[in-house]
Amino acid sequence: MPVLVITGTGTEVGKTVTTAAVAAAAVAAGRSVAVLKAAQTGVRPDERGDADEVARLAGAVTTAELARYPEPLAPATAARRAGMTPVRPQDVAEAAGKLAAEHDLVLVEGAGGLLVRFDEAGGTLADAAQLLRAPVLVVATAGLGTLNTTELTARELRARDVELLGVVIGGWPDSPDLAMRCNITDLPDVAAAPLLGALPMGAGALPPADFRAAAPAWLAPRLNGTWDAEAFRGREAAPDRA
């Protein structure tokens, strides 16, 4: 798995912090890691972007960003409004391929969800994953509504014959409600893929050293971690009603 594409079921689902956790766990396992942000929107040239945040939290990783657009919009829309060149799936695939030649693992972080458009031709992160023949990790929310968005994302990946590596919950609260606890069981079913981790809510606010030390415990062995899905389910899931 030299390249792993990371997408979310939407915006603000914890995708960047999850990318940082995956990177930190891989670095802790002795792997060299590069993080590629396909398109950064809503950030000025002098501001820190998502790739910078991943590096701050994860530590010794190589970062790259293909394009940055000032308005917080879909990349295609933001590029058009700014009069800038859009990112195309082929650009993402080529950049990831070059990084993969020099690193053990390349994490490609998308913008928003799987089908957010990069360019005027309708190119998406899903197209880039197809070109790379890379598996995709889906970051989902914990609460009500996540089953629908997760299943839609999983169905699109299957329709494109792209491997769905698994699902990570981008933010797990200290006091989960009934829907959240039920979703632990239901998310792997609707995705037809394993649950590979759950990050605690607010993980990105931890001091970097604490984040790096804790990250492997949030992720399953497939992601260089120690997290146990069955143990988590047994501790957090809602009991079946008689």
Side-chain angles (χ1 to χ4, degrees):
M1 188 177 63
V3 179
L4 176 62
V5 175
I6 300 180
T7 191
T9 54
T11 59
E12 304 300 324
V13 299
K15 186 168 67 270
T16 297
V17 178
T18 298
T19 300
V22 174
V27 169
R31 305 181 72 186
S32 60
V33 179
V35 177
L36 174 64
K37 181 67 178 181
Q40 177 73 65
T41 65
V43 178
R44 297 192 309 269
D46 60 336
E47 290 182 309
R48 295 174 60 84
D50 291 344
D52 299 312
E53 179 65 4
V54 172
R56 183 185 74 83
L57 290 170
V61 299
T62 300
T63 60
E65 183 183 278
L66 291 186
R68 176 174 291 206
Y69 308 111
E71 294 180 315
L73 303 168
T77 306
R80 183 183 71 243
R81 285 179 52 83
M84 298 172 67
T85 302
V87 172
R88 305 186 190 282
Q90 186 64 41
D91 301 331
V92 179
E94 289 178 358
K98 290 177 181 178
L99 289 168
E102 300 177 349
H103 298 82
D104 298 324
L105 176 65
V106 179
L107 304 176
V108 180
E109 183 185 347
L114 182 68
L115 297 184
V116 168
R117 294 190 172 197
F118 284 160
D119 59 25
E120 69 282 357
T124 67
L125 187 67
D127 295 313
Q130 283 183 294
L131 290 169
L132 286 163
R133 297 183 179 178
V136 174
L137 180 69
V138 173
V139 182
T141 58
L144 198 64
T146 195
L147 300 181
N148 178 62
T149 53
T150 300
E151 184 165 1
L152 287 171
T153 302
R155 286 189 181 192
E156 180 66 23
L157 289 169
R158 286 196 297 272
R160 291 170 176 262
D161 198 26
V162 174
E163 179 188 356
L164 172 53
L165 187 72
V167 178
V168 169
I169 297 173
W172 186 257
D174 291 334
S175 300
D177 62 24
L178 177 62
M180 294 173 179
R181 289 183 281 123
C182 290
N183 287 340
I184 298 171
T185 298
D186 294 337
L187 274 169
D189 288 341
V190 301
L195 193 60
L196 293 180
L199 274 65
M201 197 73 74
L206 289 172
D210 294 345
F211 182 93
R212 295 165 200 167
W218 304 332
L219 301 168
R222 188 75 185 273
L223 296 173
N224 297 291
T226 59
W227 185 83
D228 187 305
E230 290 302 318
F232 182 78
R233 185 177 294 112
R235 184 176 71 249
E236 301 284 355
D240 293 332
R241 295 183 63 180

